[in-house]
Amino acid sequence: MPKAEKDASGRRSLHERIAADLRDDIMSGELPPGANLPSTAQLTARFDASNATVKACRRPCRS
């Protein structure tokens, strides 16, 4: 991960953590191939994140 993507404490940004959790859900089978991703509203509530943050992590996941 590029250094600029980390916050001051060295942790990943929120949109990176959300994307990583979605990848984990897919890899574990919790979200099977071809299944819809959770909605923006669901992810916003799950991660206490803004719509913009959730949308930023969903874009690469849809590709």
Side-chain angles (χ1 to χ4, degrees):
M1 158 187 340
K3 197 174 197 175
E5 296 282 338
K6 295 181 183 180
D7 67 13
S9 65
R11 295 182 301 205
R12 291 186 290 184
S13 64
L14 181 55
H15 77 272
E16 289 176 314
R17 287 184 275 147
I18 295 170
D21 277 8
L22 289 174
R23 275 191 300 274
D24 290 346
D25 289 350
I26 292 166
M27 297 303 288
S28 72
E30 188 174 329
L31 277 174
N36 290 328
L37 293 174
S39 70
T40 299
Q42 290 170 321
L43 292 173
T44 298
R46 177 175 165 185
F47 293 98
D48 191 28
S50 70
N51 284 340
T53 299
V54 169
K55 288 177 182 179
C57 78
R58 287 174 57 106
R59 271 185 230 110
C61 293
R62 289 177 175 249
S63 308

mmCIF file of all heavy atoms in Angstrom, residues 18-56:
data_model
loop_
_atom_site.group_PDB
_atom_site.id
_atom_site.type_symbol
_atom_site.label_atom_id
_atom_site.label_comp_id
_atom_site.label_asym_id
_atom_site.label_seq_id
_atom_site.Cartn_x
_atom_site.Cartn_y
_atom_site.Cartn_z
ATOM 1 N N ILE A 18 -12.807 -0.938 4.318
ATOM 2 C CA ILE A 18 -14.102 -1.442 3.849
ATOM 3 C C ILE A 18 -13.892 -2.383 2.667
ATOM 4 O O ILE A 18 -14.454 -3.486 2.630
ATOM 5 C CB ILE A 18 -15.046 -0.282 3.476
ATOM 6 C CG1 ILE A 18 -15.387 0.539 4.720
ATOM 7 C CG2 ILE A 18 -16.316 -0.817 2.804
ATOM 8 C CD1 ILE A 18 -16.107 1.850 4.419
ATOM 9 N N ALA A 19 -13.072 -1.969 1.709
ATOM 10 C CA ALA A 19 -12.798 -2.814 0.543
ATOM 11 C C ALA A 19 -12.158 -4.130 0.969
ATOM 12 O O ALA A 19 -12.510 -5.194 0.451
ATOM 13 C CB ALA A 19 -11.902 -2.075 -0.451
ATOM 14 N N ALA A 20 -11.241 -4.084 1.933
ATOM 15 C CA ALA A 20 -10.595 -5.307 2.423
ATOM 16 C C ALA A 20 -11.617 -6.226 3.083
ATOM 17 O O ALA A 20 -11.583 -7.451 2.885
ATOM 18 C CB ALA A 20 -9.477 -4.964 3.398
ATOM 19 N N ASP A 21 -12.539 -5.665 3.858
ATOM 20 C CA ASP A 21 -13.582 -6.478 4.482
ATOM 21 C C ASP A 21 -14.485 -7.120 3.428
ATOM 22 O O ASP A 21 -14.875 -8.285 3.561
ATOM 23 C CB ASP A 21 -14.434 -5.649 5.445
ATOM 24 C CG ASP A 21 -13.801 -5.495 6.813
ATOM 25 O OD1 ASP A 21 -12.628 -5.893 6.996
ATOM 26 O OD2 ASP A 21 -14.482 -4.964 7.715
ATOM 27 N N LEU A 22 -14.815 -6.381 2.372
ATOM 28 C CA LEU A 22 -15.631 -6.949 1.296
ATOM 29 C C LEU A 22 -14.875 -8.088 0.600
ATOM 30 O O LEU A 22 -15.462 -9.132 0.302
ATOM 31 C CB LEU A 22 -16.027 -5.877 0.289
ATOM 32 C CG LEU A 22 -17.057 -4.859 0.765
ATOM 33 C CD1 LEU A 22 -17.237 -3.769 -0.276
ATOM 34 C CD2 LEU A 22 -18.382 -5.538 1.082
ATOM 35 N N ARG A 23 -13.579 -7.883 0.354
ATOM 36 C CA ARG A 23 -12.767 -8.960 -0.244
ATOM 37 C C ARG A 23 -12.764 -10.188 0.652
ATOM 38 O O ARG A 23 -12.905 -11.318 0.187
ATOM 39 C CB ARG A 23 -11.329 -8.484 -0.481
ATOM 40 C CG ARG A 23 -11.131 -7.759 -1.774
ATOM 41 C CD ARG A 23 -9.658 -7.553 -2.080
ATOM 42 N NE ARG A 23 -8.978 -6.771 -1.063
ATOM 43 C CZ ARG A 23 -8.915 -5.443 -1.029
ATOM 44 N NH1 ARG A 23 -9.483 -4.736 -1.972
ATOM 45 N NH2 ARG A 23 -8.278 -4.821 -0.069
ATOM 46 N N ASP A 24 -12.608 -9.961 1.974
ATOM 47 C CA ASP A 24 -12.626 -11.080 2.921
ATOM 48 C C ASP A 24 -13.963 -11.814 2.876
ATOM 49 O O ASP A 24 -14.000 -13.049 2.931
ATOM 50 C CB ASP A 24 -12.352 -10.596 4.345
ATOM 51 C CG ASP A 24 -10.915 -10.130 4.552
ATOM 52 O OD1 ASP A 24 -10.047 -10.416 3.686
ATOM 53 O OD2 ASP A 24 -10.659 -9.464 5.578
ATOM 54 N N ASP A 25 -15.058 -11.053 2.799
ATOM 55 C CA ASP A 25 -16.386 -11.673 2.716
ATOM 56 C C ASP A 25 -16.515 -12.526 1.454
ATOM 57 O O ASP A 25 -17.095 -13.608 1.478
ATOM 58 C CB ASP A 25 -17.490 -10.609 2.727
ATOM 59 C CG ASP A 25 -17.651 -9.922 4.082
ATOM 60 O OD1 ASP A 25 -17.051 -10.387 5.072
ATOM 61 O OD2 ASP A 25 -18.380 -8.913 4.126
ATOM 62 N N ILE A 26 -15.954 -12.051 0.358
ATOM 63 C CA ILE A 26 -16.003 -12.803 -0.902
ATOM 64 C C ILE A 26 -15.126 -14.048 -0.807
ATOM 65 O O ILE A 26 -15.551 -15.148 -1.170
ATOM 66 C CB ILE A 26 -15.570 -11.903 -2.079
ATOM 67 C CG1 ILE A 26 -16.619 -10.802 -2.315
ATOM 68 C CG2 ILE A 26 -15.345 -12.729 -3.353
ATOM 69 C CD1 ILE A 26 -16.146 -9.662 -3.205
ATOM 70 N N MET A 27 -13.918 -13.883 -0.311
ATOM 71 C CA MET A 27 -12.982 -15.013 -0.223
ATOM 72 C C MET A 27 -13.468 -16.089 0.748
ATOM 73 O O MET A 27 -13.219 -17.274 0.535
ATOM 74 C CB MET A 27 -11.592 -14.523 0.196
ATOM 75 C CG MET A 27 -10.949 -13.569 -0.812
ATOM 76 S SD MET A 27 -10.796 -14.249 -2.481
ATOM 77 C CE MET A 27 -9.509 -15.432 -2.223
ATOM 78 N N SER A 28 -14.174 -15.694 1.800
ATOM 79 C CA SER A 28 -14.662 -16.656 2.787
ATOM 80 C C SER A 28 -15.932 -17.373 2.321
ATOM 81 O O SER A 28 -16.354 -18.343 2.936
ATOM 82 C CB SER A 28 -14.952 -15.954 4.113
ATOM 83 O OG SER A 28 -16.114 -15.147 4.014
ATOM 84 N N GLY A 29 -16.543 -16.856 1.245
ATOM 85 C CA GLY A 29 -17.778 -17.452 0.759
ATOM 86 C C GLY A 29 -19.022 -16.808 1.333
ATOM 87 O O GLY A 29 -20.142 -17.159 0.960
ATOM 88 N N GLU A 30 -18.837 -15.876 2.268
ATOM 89 C CA GLU A 30 -19.996 -15.177 2.827
ATOM 90 C C GLU A 30 -20.735 -14.422 1.720
ATOM 91 O O GLU A 30 -21.955 -14.317 1.739
ATOM 92 C CB GLU A 30 -19.547 -14.218 3.921
ATOM 93 C CG GLU A 30 -20.679 -13.597 4.687
ATOM 94 C CD GLU A 30 -20.206 -12.772 5.866
ATOM 95 O OE1 GLU A 30 -19.159 -13.099 6.452
ATOM 96 O OE2 GLU A 30 -20.897 -11.793 6.193
ATOM 97 N N LEU A 31 -19.983 -13.888 0.763
ATOM 98 C CA LEU A 31 -20.555 -13.286 -0.450
ATOM 99 C C LEU A 31 -20.102 -14.168 -1.613
ATOM 100 O O LEU A 31 -18.969 -14.055 -2.062
ATOM 101 C CB LEU A 31 -20.027 -11.864 -0.659
ATOM 102 C CG LEU A 31 -20.684 -10.739 0.091
ATOM 103 C CD1 LEU A 31 -19.939 -9.437 -0.127
ATOM 104 C CD2 LEU A 31 -22.125 -10.585 -0.317
ATOM 105 N N PRO A 32 -20.941 -15.051 -2.084
ATOM 106 C CA PRO A 32 -20.529 -15.954 -3.159
ATOM 107 C C PRO A 32 -20.335 -15.221 -4.483
ATOM 108 O O PRO A 32 -20.874 -14.121 -4.678
ATOM 109 C CB PRO A 32 -21.673 -16.956 -3.258
ATOM 110 C CG PRO A 32 -22.807 -16.377 -2.516
ATOM 111 C CD PRO A 32 -22.286 -15.314 -1.608
ATOM 112 N N PRO A 33 -19.565 -15.818 -5.390
ATOM 113 C CA PRO A 33 -19.368 -15.199 -6.703
ATOM 114 C C PRO A 33 -20.712 -14.881 -7.357
ATOM 115 O O PRO A 33 -21.640 -15.687 -7.325
ATOM 116 C CB PRO A 33 -18.604 -16.257 -7.502
ATOM 117 C CG PRO A 33 -17.932 -17.085 -6.457
ATOM 118 C CD PRO A 33 -18.863 -17.086 -5.272
ATOM 119 N N GLY A 34 -20.812 -13.684 -7.903
ATOM 120 C CA GLY A 34 -22.039 -13.264 -8.573
ATOM 121 C C GLY A 34 -23.069 -12.634 -7.654
ATOM 122 O O GLY A 34 -24.050 -12.072 -8.131
ATOM 123 N N ALA A 35 -22.858 -12.719 -6.342
ATOM 124 C CA ALA A 35 -23.809 -12.114 -5.402
ATOM 125 C C ALA A 35 -23.658 -10.597 -5.438
ATOM 126 O O ALA A 35 -22.588 -10.072 -5.737
ATOM 127 C CB ALA A 35 -23.555 -12.619 -3.984
ATOM 128 N N ASN A 36 -24.736 -9.910 -5.145
ATOM 129 C CA ASN A 36 -24.685 -8.453 -5.060
ATOM 130 C C ASN A 36 -23.896 -8.036 -3.827
ATOM 131 O O ASN A 36 -23.970 -8.689 -2.775
ATOM 132 C CB ASN A 36 -26.085 -7.864 -4.967
ATOM 133 C CG ASN A 36 -26.855 -8.002 -6.248
ATOM 134 O OD1 ASN A 36 -26.289 -7.968 -7.333
ATOM 135 N ND2 ASN A 36 -28.157 -8.160 -6.127
ATOM 136 N N LEU A 37 -23.167 -6.946 -3.965
ATOM 137 C CA LEU A 37 -22.505 -6.370 -2.808
ATOM 138 C C LEU A 37 -23.566 -5.768 -1.895
ATOM 139 O O LEU A 37 -24.648 -5.404 -2.358
ATOM 140 C CB LEU A 37 -21.542 -5.264 -3.245
ATOM 141 C CG LEU A 37 -20.328 -5.688 -4.051
ATOM 142 C CD1 LEU A 37 -19.563 -4.452 -4.519
ATOM 143 C CD2 LEU A 37 -19.431 -6.595 -3.244
ATOM 144 N N PRO A 38 -23.259 -5.648 -0.593
ATOM 145 C CA PRO A 38 -24.207 -4.954 0.281
ATOM 146 C C PRO A 38 -24.454 -3.542 -0.254
ATOM 147 O O PRO A 38 -23.579 -2.944 -0.885
ATOM 148 C CB PRO A 38 -23.484 -4.917 1.629
ATOM 149 C CG PRO A 38 -22.503 -6.042 1.570
ATOM 150 C CD PRO A 38 -22.083 -6.132 0.132
ATOM 151 N N SER A 39 -25.623 -3.020 0.007
ATOM 152 C CA SER A 39 -25.969 -1.683 -0.482
ATOM 153 C C SER A 39 -25.109 -0.622 0.190
ATOM 154 O O SER A 39 -24.511 -0.853 1.248
ATOM 155 C CB SER A 39 -27.444 -1.389 -0.198
ATOM 156 O OG SER A 39 -27.640 -1.224 1.195
ATOM 157 N N THR A 40 -25.093 0.540 -0.423
ATOM 158 C CA THR A 40 -24.372 1.666 0.163
ATOM 159 C C THR A 40 -24.905 1.957 1.561
ATOM 160 O O THR A 40 -24.134 2.176 2.494
ATOM 161 C CB THR A 40 -24.485 2.914 -0.737
ATOM 162 O OG1 THR A 40 -23.897 2.604 -2.005
ATOM 163 C CG2 THR A 40 -23.778 4.109 -0.132
ATOM 164 N N ALA A 41 -26.220 1.919 1.721
ATOM 165 C CA ALA A 41 -26.831 2.174 3.034
ATOM 166 C C ALA A 41 -26.382 1.136 4.067
ATOM 167 O O ALA A 41 -26.083 1.481 5.217
ATOM 168 C CB ALA A 41 -28.350 2.187 2.917
ATOM 169 N N GLN A 42 -26.327 -0.133 3.660
ATOM 170 C CA GLN A 42 -25.887 -1.183 4.583
ATOM 171 C C GLN A 42 -24.433 -0.980 4.997
ATOM 172 O O GLN A 42 -24.089 -1.118 6.177
ATOM 173 C CB GLN A 42 -26.064 -2.564 3.947
ATOM 174 C CG GLN A 42 -27.506 -2.976 3.791
ATOM 175 C CD GLN A 42 -27.653 -4.226 2.934
ATOM 176 O OE1 GLN A 42 -26.946 -4.401 1.941
ATOM 177 N NE2 GLN A 42 -28.574 -5.090 3.319
ATOM 178 N N LEU A 43 -23.578 -0.670 4.024
ATOM 179 C CA LEU A 43 -22.162 -0.474 4.335
ATOM 180 C C LEU A 43 -21.939 0.798 5.149
ATOM 181 O O LEU A 43 -21.084 0.824 6.036
ATOM 182 C CB LEU A 43 -21.338 -0.448 3.051
ATOM 183 C CG LEU A 43 -21.269 -1.779 2.302
ATOM 184 C CD1 LEU A 43 -20.575 -1.594 0.962
ATOM 185 C CD2 LEU A 43 -20.573 -2.839 3.136
ATOM 186 N N THR A 44 -22.717 1.835 4.865
ATOM 187 C CA THR A 44 -22.617 3.075 5.630
ATOM 188 C C THR A 44 -22.925 2.802 7.102
ATOM 189 O O THR A 44 -22.197 3.259 7.987
ATOM 190 C CB THR A 44 -23.583 4.135 5.054
ATOM 191 O OG1 THR A 44 -23.190 4.409 3.715
ATOM 192 C CG2 THR A 44 -23.552 5.421 5.846
ATOM 193 N N ALA A 45 -23.956 2.029 7.358
ATOM 194 C CA ALA A 45 -24.328 1.688 8.739
ATOM 195 C C ALA A 45 -23.294 0.749 9.372
ATOM 196 O O ALA A 45 -22.899 0.944 10.522
ATOM 197 C CB ALA A 45 -25.708 1.054 8.763
ATOM 198 N N ARG A 46 -22.868 -0.255 8.635
ATOM 199 C CA ARG A 46 -21.924 -1.258 9.160
ATOM 200 C C ARG A 46 -20.599 -0.624 9.583
ATOM 201 O O ARG A 46 -20.027 -1.016 10.601
ATOM 202 C CB ARG A 46 -21.679 -2.315 8.087
ATOM 203 C CG ARG A 46 -20.674 -3.383 8.435
ATOM 204 C CD ARG A 46 -20.637 -4.419 7.334
ATOM 205 N NE ARG A 46 -19.476 -5.270 7.407
ATOM 206 C CZ ARG A 46 -19.169 -6.196 6.506
ATOM 207 N NH1 ARG A 46 -19.964 -6.402 5.470
ATOM 208 N NH2 ARG A 46 -18.092 -6.919 6.627
ATOM 209 N N PHE A 47 -20.119 0.345 8.801
ATOM 210 C CA PHE A 47 -18.807 0.928 9.070
ATOM 211 C C PHE A 47 -18.875 2.353 9.618
ATOM 212 O O PHE A 47 -17.839 2.973 9.802
ATOM 213 C CB PHE A 47 -17.960 0.914 7.796
ATOM 214 C CG PHE A 47 -17.604 -0.477 7.357
ATOM 215 C CD1 PHE A 47 -18.330 -1.113 6.375
ATOM 216 C CD2 PHE A 47 -16.552 -1.158 7.951
ATOM 217 C CE1 PHE A 47 -18.014 -2.400 5.969
ATOM 218 C CE2 PHE A 47 -16.232 -2.441 7.562
ATOM 219 C CZ PHE A 47 -16.955 -3.065 6.569
ATOM 220 N N ASP A 48 -20.075 2.862 9.854
ATOM 221 C CA ASP A 48 -20.250 4.238 10.322
ATOM 222 C C ASP A 48 -19.455 5.185 9.431
ATOM 223 O O ASP A 48 -18.641 5.982 9.886
ATOM 224 C CB ASP A 48 -19.824 4.375 11.787
ATOM 225 C CG ASP A 48 -20.241 5.705 12.392
ATOM 226 O OD1 ASP A 48 -21.254 6.275 11.936
ATOM 227 O OD2 ASP A 48 -19.545 6.183 13.300
ATOM 228 N N ALA A 49 -19.680 5.041 8.133
ATOM 229 C CA ALA A 49 -18.931 5.795 7.120
ATOM 230 C C ALA A 49 -19.882 6.664 6.306
ATOM 231 O O ALA A 49 -21.084 6.436 6.279
ATOM 232 C CB ALA A 49 -18.215 4.821 6.198
ATOM 233 N N SER A 50 -19.322 7.637 5.628
ATOM 234 C CA SER A 50 -20.136 8.489 4.758
ATOM 235 C C SER A 50 -20.447 7.761 3.448
ATOM 236 O O SER A 50 -19.761 6.794 3.082
ATOM 237 C CB SER A 50 -19.390 9.789 4.446
ATOM 238 O OG SER A 50 -18.292 9.528 3.587
ATOM 239 N N ASN A 51 -21.468 8.243 2.753
ATOM 240 C CA ASN A 51 -21.798 7.668 1.443
ATOM 241 C C ASN A 51 -20.618 7.764 0.486
ATOM 242 O O ASN A 51 -20.340 6.831 -0.266
ATOM 243 C CB ASN A 51 -23.008 8.371 0.821
ATOM 244 C CG ASN A 51 -24.310 7.953 1.445
ATOM 245 O OD1 ASN A 51 -24.413 6.916 2.080
ATOM 246 N ND2 ASN A 51 -25.322 8.773 1.268
ATOM 247 N N ALA A 52 -19.912 8.895 0.503
ATOM 248 C CA ALA A 52 -18.770 9.092 -0.403
ATOM 249 C C ALA A 52 -17.670 8.071 -0.140
ATOM 250 O O ALA A 52 -17.073 7.532 -1.074
ATOM 251 C CB ALA A 52 -18.227 10.506 -0.265
ATOM 252 N N THR A 53 -17.410 7.775 1.125
ATOM 253 C CA THR A 53 -16.377 6.793 1.473
ATOM 254 C C THR A 53 -16.776 5.411 0.986
ATOM 255 O O THR A 53 -15.963 4.693 0.398
ATOM 256 C CB THR A 53 -16.140 6.787 2.998
ATOM 257 O OG1 THR A 53 -15.682 8.076 3.400
ATOM 258 C CG2 THR A 53 -15.127 5.731 3.399
ATOM 259 N N VAL A 54 -18.017 5.036 1.213
ATOM 260 C CA VAL A 54 -18.496 3.720 0.785
ATOM 261 C C VAL A 54 -18.464 3.618 -0.739
ATOM 262 O O VAL A 54 -18.016 2.607 -1.296
ATOM 263 C CB VAL A 54 -19.908 3.442 1.338
ATOM 264 C CG1 VAL A 54 -20.517 2.213 0.701
ATOM 265 C CG2 VAL A 54 -19.850 3.296 2.855
ATOM 266 N N LYS A 55 -18.903 4.653 -1.423
ATOM 267 C CA LYS A 55 -18.895 4.624 -2.888
ATOM 268 C C LYS A 55 -17.472 4.514 -3.425
ATOM 269 O O LYS A 55 -17.238 3.855 -4.440
ATOM 270 C CB LYS A 55 -19.613 5.842 -3.450
ATOM 271 C CG LYS A 55 -21.113 5.757 -3.251
ATOM 272 C CD LYS A 55 -21.814 6.992 -3.751
ATOM 273 C CE LYS A 55 -23.308 6.877 -3.483
ATOM 274 N NZ LYS A 55 -24.028 8.065 -3.929
ATOM 275 N N ALA A 56 -16.510 5.137 -2.747
ATOM 276 C CA ALA A 56 -15.108 5.061 -3.183
ATOM 277 C C ALA A 56 -14.581 3.635 -3.113
ATOM 278 O O ALA A 56 -13.793 3.222 -3.964
ATOM 279 C CB ALA A 56 -14.235 5.985 -2.340
#
